[in-house]
Amino acid sequence: MPMPSAPPAPQPSEFPPVDAAGLAAILDTPEAHVGEGFVAYAEILAPDTPEADVPADAAAHLVTLSARQPATAYEYVGDNQTVIVDPEGRPVETGDVLLVSLAVPDPESFESYYDLAGIDSARFDVVELEVVGLYDLAQDVTLGELRLDGDEPVLPVSVRNSADVPMEYAIDITALNPDGSEAATSIAWSADIAPGETGAADVTLYGAVPDGVTFRIDSVSRYAH
């Protein structure tokens, strides 16, 4: 009787995006996920890691993996540092943020890929990569319509937390006159917002606000507690 053929290897287009819990499970026990593929974000901590045991044409990079695209450098650095190996040896630099399709290799196929302070780190093979950069937090912010709250004008601001942990947001906003000149600046602070949830960060503008005023988001920051 002929032996059944092995199932075809998954294609990168079939790799699912990983969530925070799924990524943690893969990092904790990669041997339980051999042959699987997933999509995550990788921030380059050290390119061309010399301690990695890889083929001559490949490049190994020390990275921090995250399920969400980081908005600031080292936003997700923690115990999720690992090594990714790009068989094509494509150049990357420290601080680059990549969207990567990764495959989990058989740990018996290698001796040691990276020794981080005496501890072997997990290794994942790059199937596809794209340099995407840091996430633009302005995408999390929506400005509403100016309204009066008593005698003071209030600009409603809603904020969707795109991170995997509760975050407090700070939004710097400038009010612009109809001719484009600056009328006033202010900052909106939110309370902690749960992951994936939307919170409010309304701005009270003190003093007269001219007719036809518009608003510009100058910067957005977020903080975990």
Side-chain angles (χ1 to χ4, degrees), residues 132-161:
V132 294
L134 295 171
Y135 177 72
D136 182 5
L137 284 174
Q139 297 181 74
D140 292 351
V141 178
T142 302
L143 302 182
E145 296 292 330
L146 193 65
R147 70 170 191 266
L148 286 179
D149 188 356
D151 294 329
E152 302 293 352
V154 173
L155 177 67
V157 179
S158 61
V159 186
R160 177 187 60 86
N161 180 8

mmCIF file of all heavy atoms in Angstrom, residues 132-161:
data_model
loop_
_atom_site.group_PDB
_atom_site.id
_atom_site.type_symbol
_atom_site.label_atom_id
_atom_site.label_comp_id
_atom_site.label_asym_id
_atom_site.label_seq_id
_atom_site.Cartn_x
_atom_site.Cartn_y
_atom_site.Cartn_z
ATOM 1 N N VAL A 132 7.832 48.094 7.495
ATOM 2 C CA VAL A 132 6.618 48.912 7.584
ATOM 3 C C VAL A 132 6.793 50.137 8.467
ATOM 4 O O VAL A 132 5.987 51.067 8.412
ATOM 5 C CB VAL A 132 5.421 48.078 8.090
ATOM 6 C CG1 VAL A 132 5.051 47.004 7.081
ATOM 7 C CG2 VAL A 132 5.712 47.451 9.456
ATOM 8 N N GLY A 133 7.817 50.172 9.310
ATOM 9 C CA GLY A 133 8.025 51.326 10.181
ATOM 10 C C GLY A 133 7.085 51.324 11.369
ATOM 11 O O GLY A 133 6.315 50.391 11.596
ATOM 12 N N LEU A 134 7.148 52.399 12.138
ATOM 13 C CA LEU A 134 6.333 52.526 13.338
ATOM 14 C C LEU A 134 4.882 52.868 12.991
ATOM 15 O O LEU A 134 4.598 53.490 11.970
ATOM 16 C CB LEU A 134 6.914 53.603 14.264
ATOM 17 C CG LEU A 134 8.304 53.308 14.849
ATOM 18 C CD1 LEU A 134 8.843 54.546 15.551
ATOM 19 C CD2 LEU A 134 8.261 52.125 15.807
ATOM 20 N N TYR A 135 3.991 52.467 13.856
ATOM 21 C CA TYR A 135 2.560 52.723 13.679
ATOM 22 C C TYR A 135 2.257 54.192 13.949
ATOM 23 O O TYR A 135 2.780 54.792 14.895
ATOM 24 C CB TYR A 135 1.776 51.836 14.636
ATOM 25 C CG TYR A 135 0.284 52.039 14.623
ATOM 26 C CD1 TYR A 135 -0.483 51.603 13.550
ATOM 27 C CD2 TYR A 135 -0.361 52.670 15.686
ATOM 28 C CE1 TYR A 135 -1.852 51.779 13.532
ATOM 29 C CE2 TYR A 135 -1.732 52.843 15.683
ATOM 30 C CZ TYR A 135 -2.476 52.404 14.604
ATOM 31 O OH TYR A 135 -3.837 52.585 14.589
ATOM 32 N N ASP A 136 1.412 54.799 13.135
ATOM 33 C CA ASP A 136 1.004 56.196 13.295
ATOM 34 C C ASP A 136 -0.189 56.252 14.244
ATOM 35 O O ASP A 136 -1.310 55.886 13.887
ATOM 36 C CB ASP A 136 0.641 56.788 11.935
ATOM 37 C CG ASP A 136 0.242 58.252 12.025
ATOM 38 O OD1 ASP A 136 0.341 58.835 13.128
ATOM 39 O OD2 ASP A 136 -0.179 58.805 10.985
ATOM 40 N N LEU A 137 0.054 56.738 15.459
ATOM 41 C CA LEU A 137 -0.997 56.763 16.469
ATOM 42 C C LEU A 137 -2.142 57.709 16.127
ATOM 43 O O LEU A 137 -3.226 57.597 16.710
ATOM 44 C CB LEU A 137 -0.403 57.162 17.823
ATOM 45 C CG LEU A 137 0.391 56.078 18.550
ATOM 46 C CD1 LEU A 137 1.053 56.645 19.799
ATOM 47 C CD2 LEU A 137 -0.509 54.906 18.921
ATOM 48 N N ALA A 138 -1.926 58.621 15.192
ATOM 49 C CA ALA A 138 -3.018 59.511 14.791
ATOM 50 C C ALA A 138 -4.188 58.710 14.210
ATOM 51 O O ALA A 138 -5.331 59.185 14.212
ATOM 52 C CB ALA A 138 -2.527 60.535 13.782
ATOM 53 N N GLN A 139 -3.902 57.487 13.734
ATOM 54 C CA GLN A 139 -4.980 56.642 13.212
ATOM 55 C C GLN A 139 -5.943 56.199 14.306
ATOM 56 O O GLN A 139 -7.075 55.776 14.010
ATOM 57 C CB GLN A 139 -4.387 55.405 12.536
ATOM 58 C CG GLN A 139 -3.528 55.714 11.327
ATOM 59 C CD GLN A 139 -2.985 54.452 10.699
ATOM 60 O OE1 GLN A 139 -3.707 53.708 10.038
ATOM 61 N NE2 GLN A 139 -1.701 54.187 10.902
ATOM 62 N N ASP A 140 -5.522 56.285 15.570
ATOM 63 C CA ASP A 140 -6.379 55.877 16.683
ATOM 64 C C ASP A 140 -7.318 56.992 17.133
ATOM 65 O O ASP A 140 -8.179 56.768 17.986
ATOM 66 C CB ASP A 140 -5.528 55.447 17.883
ATOM 67 C CG ASP A 140 -4.760 54.171 17.638
ATOM 68 O OD1 ASP A 140 -5.019 53.521 16.610
ATOM 69 O OD2 ASP A 140 -3.899 53.826 18.466
ATOM 70 N N VAL A 141 -7.137 58.216 16.602
ATOM 71 C CA VAL A 141 -7.834 59.400 17.119
ATOM 72 C C VAL A 141 -8.856 59.898 16.111
ATOM 73 O O VAL A 141 -8.569 60.008 14.914
ATOM 74 C CB VAL A 141 -6.816 60.522 17.439
ATOM 75 C CG1 VAL A 141 -7.537 61.780 17.927
ATOM 76 C CG2 VAL A 141 -5.814 60.041 18.489
ATOM 77 N N THR A 142 -10.046 60.224 16.603
ATOM 78 C CA THR A 142 -11.086 60.833 15.784
ATOM 79 C C THR A 142 -11.567 62.108 16.469
ATOM 80 O O THR A 142 -11.960 62.074 17.648
ATOM 81 C CB THR A 142 -12.279 59.884 15.586
ATOM 82 O OG1 THR A 142 -11.822 58.671 14.976
ATOM 83 C CG2 THR A 142 -13.340 60.524 14.706
ATOM 84 N N LEU A 143 -11.512 63.233 15.741
ATOM 85 C CA LEU A 143 -11.989 64.510 16.281
ATOM 86 C C LEU A 143 -13.465 64.672 15.946
ATOM 87 O O LEU A 143 -13.887 64.423 14.816
ATOM 88 C CB LEU A 143 -11.188 65.665 15.697
ATOM 89 C CG LEU A 143 -9.664 65.628 15.909
ATOM 90 C CD1 LEU A 143 -9.027 66.879 15.304
ATOM 91 C CD2 LEU A 143 -9.309 65.485 17.369
ATOM 92 N N GLY A 144 -14.251 65.106 16.941
ATOM 93 C CA GLY A 144 -15.668 65.323 16.721
ATOM 94 C C GLY A 144 -15.974 66.759 16.328
ATOM 95 O O GLY A 144 -15.089 67.514 15.909
ATOM 96 N N GLU A 145 -17.222 67.145 16.487
ATOM 97 C CA GLU A 145 -17.674 68.500 16.166
ATOM 98 C C GLU A 145 -17.660 69.350 17.426
ATOM 99 O O GLU A 145 -18.086 68.923 18.499
ATOM 100 C CB GLU A 145 -19.091 68.453 15.576
ATOM 101 C CG GLU A 145 -19.183 67.727 14.242
ATOM 102 C CD GLU A 145 -18.471 68.465 13.133
ATOM 103 O OE1 GLU A 145 -18.412 69.727 13.195
ATOM 104 O OE2 GLU A 145 -17.972 67.803 12.202
ATOM 105 N N LEU A 146 -17.173 70.583 17.289
ATOM 106 C CA LEU A 146 -17.104 71.503 18.423
ATOM 107 C C LEU A 146 -18.505 71.756 18.972
ATOM 108 O O LEU A 146 -19.455 71.977 18.208
ATOM 109 C CB LEU A 146 -16.461 72.813 17.965
ATOM 110 C CG LEU A 146 -16.027 73.798 19.054
ATOM 111 C CD1 LEU A 146 -14.901 73.194 19.883
ATOM 112 C CD2 LEU A 146 -15.589 75.116 18.420
ATOM 113 N N ARG A 147 -18.628 71.729 20.307
ATOM 114 C CA ARG A 147 -19.924 71.980 20.934
ATOM 115 C C ARG A 147 -19.716 72.891 22.145
ATOM 116 O O ARG A 147 -18.586 73.050 22.628
ATOM 117 C CB ARG A 147 -20.576 70.673 21.383
ATOM 118 C CG ARG A 147 -19.886 69.998 22.553
ATOM 119 C CD ARG A 147 -20.704 68.845 23.126
ATOM 120 N NE ARG A 147 -20.158 68.382 24.385
ATOM 121 C CZ ARG A 147 -19.295 67.373 24.522
ATOM 122 N NH1 ARG A 147 -18.873 66.714 23.434
ATOM 123 N NH2 ARG A 147 -18.865 67.015 25.709
ATOM 124 N N LEU A 148 -20.780 73.465 22.635
ATOM 125 C CA LEU A 148 -20.720 74.290 23.833
ATOM 126 C C LEU A 148 -21.131 73.463 25.034
ATOM 127 O O LEU A 148 -22.148 72.761 25.014
ATOM 128 C CB LEU A 148 -21.634 75.503 23.711
ATOM 129 C CG LEU A 148 -21.147 76.633 22.789
ATOM 130 C CD1 LEU A 148 -22.176 77.750 22.746
ATOM 131 C CD2 LEU A 148 -19.795 77.183 23.270
ATOM 132 N N ASP A 149 -20.317 73.514 26.086
ATOM 133 C CA ASP A 149 -20.630 72.872 27.358
ATOM 134 C C ASP A 149 -20.717 73.997 28.381
ATOM 135 O O ASP A 149 -19.710 74.436 28.929
ATOM 136 C CB ASP A 149 -19.537 71.869 27.723
ATOM 137 C CG ASP A 149 -19.915 71.047 28.943
ATOM 138 O OD1 ASP A 149 -20.984 71.321 29.529
ATOM 139 O OD2 ASP A 149 -19.142 70.150 29.320
ATOM 140 N N GLY A 150 -21.941 74.486 28.622
ATOM 141 C CA GLY A 150 -22.084 75.713 29.384
ATOM 142 C C GLY A 150 -21.603 76.866 28.519
ATOM 143 O O GLY A 150 -22.067 77.058 27.399
ATOM 144 N N ASP A 151 -20.654 77.642 29.040
ATOM 145 C CA ASP A 151 -20.119 78.760 28.270
ATOM 146 C C ASP A 151 -18.818 78.406 27.567
ATOM 147 O O ASP A 151 -18.270 79.231 26.829
ATOM 148 C CB ASP A 151 -19.867 79.966 29.197
ATOM 149 C CG ASP A 151 -21.161 80.534 29.759
ATOM 150 O OD1 ASP A 151 -22.177 80.434 29.047
ATOM 151 O OD2 ASP A 151 -21.137 81.046 30.895
ATOM 152 N N GLU A 152 -18.289 77.207 27.794
ATOM 153 C CA GLU A 152 -16.989 76.848 27.233
ATOM 154 C C GLU A 152 -17.151 75.906 26.046
ATOM 155 O O GLU A 152 -17.931 74.951 26.090
ATOM 156 C CB GLU A 152 -16.117 76.161 28.300
ATOM 157 C CG GLU A 152 -15.877 76.986 29.557
ATOM 158 C CD GLU A 152 -15.041 78.207 29.297
ATOM 159 O OE1 GLU A 152 -14.499 78.366 28.188
ATOM 160 O OE2 GLU A 152 -14.926 79.033 30.225
ATOM 161 N N PRO A 153 -16.408 76.173 24.972
ATOM 162 C CA PRO A 153 -16.433 75.248 23.833
ATOM 163 C C PRO A 153 -15.641 73.982 24.145
ATOM 164 O O PRO A 153 -14.574 74.029 24.763
ATOM 165 C CB PRO A 153 -15.792 76.055 22.706
ATOM 166 C CG PRO A 153 -14.927 77.056 23.384
ATOM 167 C CD PRO A 153 -15.567 77.355 24.724
ATOM 168 N N VAL A 154 -16.175 72.856 23.719
ATOM 169 C CA VAL A 154 -15.545 71.555 23.957
ATOM 170 C C VAL A 154 -15.401 70.830 22.628
ATOM 171 O O VAL A 154 -16.347 70.778 21.831
ATOM 172 C CB VAL A 154 -16.374 70.704 24.938
ATOM 173 C CG1 VAL A 154 -15.798 69.291 25.055
ATOM 174 C CG2 VAL A 154 -16.429 71.365 26.299
ATOM 175 N N LEU A 155 -14.209 70.295 22.397
ATOM 176 C CA LEU A 155 -13.962 69.470 21.209
ATOM 177 C C LEU A 155 -13.989 68.014 21.630
ATOM 178 O O LEU A 155 -13.086 67.557 22.348
ATOM 179 C CB LEU A 155 -12.615 69.812 20.585
ATOM 180 C CG LEU A 155 -12.218 68.961 19.380
ATOM 181 C CD1 LEU A 155 -13.151 69.231 18.202
ATOM 182 C CD2 LEU A 155 -10.761 69.200 18.991
ATOM 183 N N PRO A 156 -15.007 67.244 21.226
ATOM 184 C CA PRO A 156 -15.026 65.822 21.577
ATOM 185 C C PRO A 156 -13.942 65.064 20.796
ATOM 186 O O PRO A 156 -13.772 65.258 19.589
ATOM 187 C CB PRO A 156 -16.422 65.360 21.141
ATOM 188 C CG PRO A 156 -17.200 66.610 20.917
ATOM 189 C CD PRO A 156 -16.209 67.650 20.502
ATOM 190 N N VAL A 157 -13.227 64.228 21.508
ATOM 191 C CA VAL A 157 -12.170 63.415 20.906
ATOM 192 C C VAL A 157 -12.401 61.975 21.329
ATOM 193 O O VAL A 157 -12.573 61.688 22.518
ATOM 194 C CB VAL A 157 -10.771 63.877 21.361
ATOM 195 C CG1 VAL A 157 -9.693 63.003 20.731
ATOM 196 C CG2 VAL A 157 -10.543 65.341 21.012
ATOM 197 N N SER A 158 -12.420 61.057 20.376
ATOM 198 C CA SER A 158 -12.503 59.630 20.703
ATOM 199 C C SER A 158 -11.203 58.952 20.318
ATOM 200 O O SER A 158 -10.561 59.334 19.332
ATOM 201 C CB SER A 158 -13.687 58.965 20.003
ATOM 202 O OG SER A 158 -13.554 59.058 18.600
ATOM 203 N N VAL A 159 -10.818 57.962 21.113
ATOM 204 C CA VAL A 159 -9.534 57.290 20.927
ATOM 205 C C VAL A 159 -9.751 55.788 21.013
ATOM 206 O O VAL A 159 -10.317 55.280 21.986
ATOM 207 C CB VAL A 159 -8.507 57.711 22.005
ATOM 208 C CG1 VAL A 159 -7.149 57.107 21.699
ATOM 209 C CG2 VAL A 159 -8.410 59.221 22.110
ATOM 210 N N ARG A 160 -9.295 55.082 19.978
ATOM 211 C CA ARG A 160 -9.349 53.616 19.985
ATOM 212 C C ARG A 160 -7.967 53.086 20.343
ATOM 213 O O ARG A 160 -6.976 53.409 19.692
ATOM 214 C CB ARG A 160 -9.755 53.086 18.600
ATOM 215 C CG ARG A 160 -9.772 51.565 18.501
ATOM 216 C CD ARG A 160 -10.010 51.128 17.061
ATOM 217 N NE ARG A 160 -8.978 51.625 16.158
ATOM 218 C CZ ARG A 160 -7.817 50.991 15.938
ATOM 219 N NH1 ARG A 160 -7.538 49.867 16.565
ATOM 220 N NH2 ARG A 160 -6.944 51.493 15.099
ATOM 221 N N ASN A 161 -7.892 52.277 21.377
ATOM 222 C CA ASN A 161 -6.611 51.715 21.807
ATOM 223 C C ASN A 161 -6.230 50.549 20.899
ATOM 224 O O ASN A 161 -6.855 49.491 20.939
ATOM 225 C CB ASN A 161 -6.696 51.253 23.259
ATOM 226 C CG ASN A 161 -5.381 50.670 23.747
ATOM 227 O OD1 ASN A 161 -4.358 50.730 23.072
ATOM 228 N ND2 ASN A 161 -5.395 50.099 24.943
#
